[in-house]
Amino acid sequence: MAGSFAADVLLGETNEVLQVPIIKSKAVKKFLADVAPRLPLLGNSGVPSTDDTLEQFLKHVGVLFGKDPTKWEKVGEPKTDISEQDGKRIIKKTGMFTGTELHLFVTPPYFDPRLPLQPDQPQLEFAVNSREVTSTAEWQQLIADQPWHSSRRRQLLLNFLQAKMEAEDEQLQLEGARGMWELSINKPHHAEMQACHLRLLVKHLQAANIEVREGKDSAA
């Protein structure tokens, strides 16, 4: 369905990955307005939607993995204690139950552990492999612009290359400059390129220690 998207969800303890479809609620409501009888898509516990809270989404995913966080299972047999107090016989039964607590961690599309942390420039933060989503507000903000268009993906790639070019490590600078050069010579990418990207590229092309290699992988 147009506007809907899928999330690749990995269960950490098994490394099993499931592709979970997430329905754009507005798109579904518009679709259902012209359908009779109405299809029970929204509210279906097996179909996550963008209206879900973080807790609801985690439950959807947990059920798919067989880890329903709302279910508790008894472990072993209950323990029975019998005592007497004030002439009364007291029987106390104690049982042990186990359950699952789920947390959501988001992995960015671009990551390099060699890059420095950039807490003051979040758009250039690519040194963190994952971050935890702890609230429904964070979850809603995360999926608000999904699915990403090619333009959005290029913007992220440009920021990633910029972070590399501004790093102190010369190898990172070289990698960033090569990537930025490849984007700059393809006209379809020009719409997302900003003046700061071009200035960085020109600066690196003027480097004193420029290196030229022969062959298919020639680089400057």
PDB file of all heavy atoms in Angstrom, residues 5 109 142 145-153 156:
ATOM      1  N   PHE A   5       5.494   1.151   4.885  1.00  0.00           N
ATOM      2  CA  PHE A   5       6.898   0.781   4.818  1.00  0.00           C
ATOM      3  C   PHE A   5       7.136  -0.428   5.710  1.00  0.00           C
ATOM      4  O   PHE A   5       6.216  -0.922   6.371  1.00  0.00           O
ATOM      5  CB  PHE A   5       7.789   1.950   5.249  1.00  0.00           C
ATOM      6  CG  PHE A   5       7.493   2.470   6.633  1.00  0.00           C
ATOM      7  CD1 PHE A   5       8.233   2.054   7.720  1.00  0.00           C
ATOM      8  CD2 PHE A   5       6.458   3.373   6.845  1.00  0.00           C
ATOM      9  CE1 PHE A   5       7.961   2.517   8.998  1.00  0.00           C
ATOM     10  CE2 PHE A   5       6.172   3.847   8.113  1.00  0.00           C
ATOM     11  CZ  PHE A   5       6.934   3.421   9.193  1.00  0.00           C
ATOM     12  N   PRO A 109      21.538   4.099   9.160  1.00  0.00           N
ATOM     13  CA  PRO A 109      21.976   3.516   7.879  1.00  0.00           C
ATOM     14  C   PRO A 109      23.462   3.699   7.618  1.00  0.00           C
ATOM     15  O   PRO A 109      24.057   2.941   6.849  1.00  0.00           O
ATOM     16  CB  PRO A 109      21.129   4.260   6.838  1.00  0.00           C
ATOM     17  CG  PRO A 109      20.748   5.537   7.496  1.00  0.00           C
ATOM     18  CD  PRO A 109      20.604   5.217   8.955  1.00  0.00           C
ATOM     19  N   LEU A 142      10.572   9.231  14.913  1.00  0.00           N
ATOM     20  CA  LEU A 142      11.442   8.389  14.102  1.00  0.00           C
ATOM     21  C   LEU A 142      10.770   7.940  12.812  1.00  0.00           C
ATOM     22  O   LEU A 142      11.399   7.884  11.751  1.00  0.00           O
ATOM     23  CB  LEU A 142      11.878   7.177  14.927  1.00  0.00           C
ATOM     24  CG  LEU A 142      12.797   6.174  14.244  1.00  0.00           C
ATOM     25  CD1 LEU A 142      14.171   6.784  14.018  1.00  0.00           C
ATOM     26  CD2 LEU A 142      12.911   4.902  15.084  1.00  0.00           C
ATOM     27  N   ASP A 145       8.712  10.502   8.888  1.00  0.00           N
ATOM     28  CA  ASP A 145       9.033  10.750   7.478  1.00  0.00           C
ATOM     29  C   ASP A 145       9.299   9.464   6.703  1.00  0.00           C
ATOM     30  O   ASP A 145       9.871   9.488   5.611  1.00  0.00           O
ATOM     31  CB  ASP A 145      10.239  11.684   7.361  1.00  0.00           C
ATOM     32  CG  ASP A 145      11.494  11.091   7.993  1.00  0.00           C
ATOM     33  OD1 ASP A 145      11.373  10.069   8.708  1.00  0.00           O
ATOM     34  OD2 ASP A 145      12.581  11.653   7.784  1.00  0.00           O
ATOM     35  N   GLN A 146       8.880   8.337   7.248  1.00  0.00           N
ATOM     36  CA  GLN A 146       9.009   7.057   6.540  1.00  0.00           C
ATOM     37  C   GLN A 146       7.847   6.871   5.560  1.00  0.00           C
ATOM     38  O   GLN A 146       6.747   7.326   5.820  1.00  0.00           O
ATOM     39  CB  GLN A 146       9.039   5.892   7.531  1.00  0.00           C
ATOM     40  CG  GLN A 146      10.230   5.894   8.461  1.00  0.00           C
ATOM     41  CD  GLN A 146      11.522   5.499   7.764  1.00  0.00           C
ATOM     42  OE1 GLN A 146      11.509   5.004   6.637  1.00  0.00           O
ATOM     43  NE2 GLN A 146      12.642   5.738   8.421  1.00  0.00           N
ATOM     44  N   PRO A 147       8.060   6.175   4.432  1.00  0.00           N
ATOM     45  CA  PRO A 147       9.347   5.640   3.959  1.00  0.00           C
ATOM     46  C   PRO A 147      10.235   6.736   3.380  1.00  0.00           C
ATOM     47  O   PRO A 147       9.741   7.704   2.820  1.00  0.00           O
ATOM     48  CB  PRO A 147       8.925   4.647   2.878  1.00  0.00           C
ATOM     49  CG  PRO A 147       7.649   5.218   2.324  1.00  0.00           C
ATOM     50  CD  PRO A 147       6.951   5.867   3.506  1.00  0.00           C
ATOM     51  N   TRP A 148      11.548   6.555   3.535  1.00  0.00           N
ATOM     52  CA  TRP A 148      12.490   7.538   3.009  1.00  0.00           C
ATOM     53  C   TRP A 148      12.529   7.489   1.490  1.00  0.00           C
ATOM     54  O   TRP A 148      12.585   6.418   0.888  1.00  0.00           O
ATOM     55  CB  TRP A 148      13.892   7.275   3.542  1.00  0.00           C
ATOM     56  CG  TRP A 148      14.075   7.739   4.953  1.00  0.00           C
ATOM     57  CD1 TRP A 148      13.247   8.546   5.666  1.00  0.00           C
ATOM     58  CD2 TRP A 148      15.163   7.416   5.822  1.00  0.00           C
ATOM     59  NE1 TRP A 148      13.739   8.753   6.938  1.00  0.00           N
ATOM     60  CE2 TRP A 148      14.917   8.080   7.057  1.00  0.00           C
ATOM     61  CE3 TRP A 148      16.312   6.660   5.681  1.00  0.00           C
ATOM     62  CZ2 TRP A 148      15.791   7.986   8.136  1.00  0.00           C
ATOM     63  CZ3 TRP A 148      17.180   6.563   6.754  1.00  0.00           C
ATOM     64  CH2 TRP A 148      16.922   7.219   7.968  1.00  0.00           C
ATOM     65  N   HIS A 149      12.539   8.659   0.872  1.00  0.00           N
ATOM     66  CA  HIS A 149      12.731   8.757  -0.568  1.00  0.00           C
ATOM     67  C   HIS A 149      14.232   8.803  -0.856  1.00  0.00           C
ATOM     68  O   HIS A 149      15.052   8.999   0.039  1.00  0.00           O
ATOM     69  CB  HIS A 149      12.031  10.004  -1.117  1.00  0.00           C
ATOM     70  CG  HIS A 149      10.549   9.973  -0.939  1.00  0.00           C
ATOM     71  ND1 HIS A 149       9.734   9.097  -1.621  1.00  0.00           N
ATOM     72  CD2 HIS A 149       9.717  10.699  -0.143  1.00  0.00           C
ATOM     73  CE1 HIS A 149       8.469   9.289  -1.273  1.00  0.00           C
ATOM     74  NE2 HIS A 149       8.445  10.255  -0.367  1.00  0.00           N
ATOM     75  N   SER A 150      14.587   8.646  -2.130  1.00  0.00           N
ATOM     76  CA  SER A 150      16.005   8.657  -2.506  1.00  0.00           C
ATOM     77  C   SER A 150      16.666   9.979  -2.133  1.00  0.00           C
ATOM     78  O   SER A 150      17.848  10.016  -1.785  1.00  0.00           O
ATOM     79  CB  SER A 150      16.144   8.399  -4.011  1.00  0.00           C
ATOM     80  OG  SER A 150      15.401   9.360  -4.752  1.00  0.00           O
ATOM     81  N   SER A 151      15.910  11.071  -2.189  1.00  0.00           N
ATOM     82  CA  SER A 151      16.448  12.382  -1.829  1.00  0.00           C
ATOM     83  C   SER A 151      16.885  12.404  -0.365  1.00  0.00           C
ATOM     84  O   SER A 151      17.963  12.906  -0.029  1.00  0.00           O
ATOM     85  CB  SER A 151      15.406  13.473  -2.086  1.00  0.00           C
ATOM     86  OG  SER A 151      15.860  14.723  -1.615  1.00  0.00           O
ATOM     87  N   ARG A 152      16.046  11.868   0.505  1.00  0.00           N
ATOM     88  CA  ARG A 152      16.360  11.822   1.932  1.00  0.00           C
ATOM     89  C   ARG A 152      17.594  10.959   2.187  1.00  0.00           C
ATOM     90  O   ARG A 152      18.470  11.305   3.005  1.00  0.00           O
ATOM     91  CB  ARG A 152      15.156  11.287   2.705  1.00  0.00           C
ATOM     92  CG  ARG A 152      15.392  10.982   4.173  1.00  0.00           C
ATOM     93  CD  ARG A 152      15.775  12.202   4.958  1.00  0.00           C
ATOM     94  NE  ARG A 152      15.820  11.936   6.385  1.00  0.00           N
ATOM     95  CZ  ARG A 152      16.587  12.578   7.248  1.00  0.00           C
ATOM     96  NH1 ARG A 152      17.372  13.554   6.832  1.00  0.00           N
ATOM     97  NH2 ARG A 152      16.566  12.261   8.529  1.00  0.00           N
ATOM     98  N   ARG A 153      17.705   9.846   1.484  1.00  0.00           N
ATOM     99  CA  ARG A 153      18.855   8.961   1.663  1.00  0.00           C
ATOM    100  C   ARG A 153      20.141   9.637   1.193  1.00  0.00           C
ATOM    101  O   ARG A 153      21.198   9.473   1.802  1.00  0.00           O
ATOM    102  CB  ARG A 153      18.627   7.651   0.904  1.00  0.00           C
ATOM    103  CG  ARG A 153      17.489   6.822   1.467  1.00  0.00           C
ATOM    104  CD  ARG A 153      17.332   5.511   0.740  1.00  0.00           C
ATOM    105  NE  ARG A 153      16.225   4.740   1.280  1.00  0.00           N
ATOM    106  CZ  ARG A 153      16.297   3.967   2.346  1.00  0.00           C
ATOM    107  NH1 ARG A 153      17.443   3.856   2.999  1.00  0.00           N
ATOM    108  NH2 ARG A 153      15.250   3.308   2.775  1.00  0.00           N
ATOM    109  N   LEU A 156      21.366  12.070   3.858  1.00  0.00           N
ATOM    110  CA  LEU A 156      22.075  11.376   4.939  1.00  0.00           C
ATOM    111  C   LEU A 156      23.483  10.972   4.511  1.00  0.00           C
ATOM    112  O   LEU A 156      24.439  11.088   5.285  1.00  0.00           O
ATOM    113  CB  LEU A 156      21.285  10.137   5.366  1.00  0.00           C
ATOM    114  CG  LEU A 156      19.999  10.393   6.154  1.00  0.00           C
ATOM    115  CD1 LEU A 156      19.240   9.092   6.355  1.00  0.00           C
ATOM    116  CD2 LEU A 156      20.310  11.023   7.507  1.00  0.00           C
TER     117      LEU A 156
END
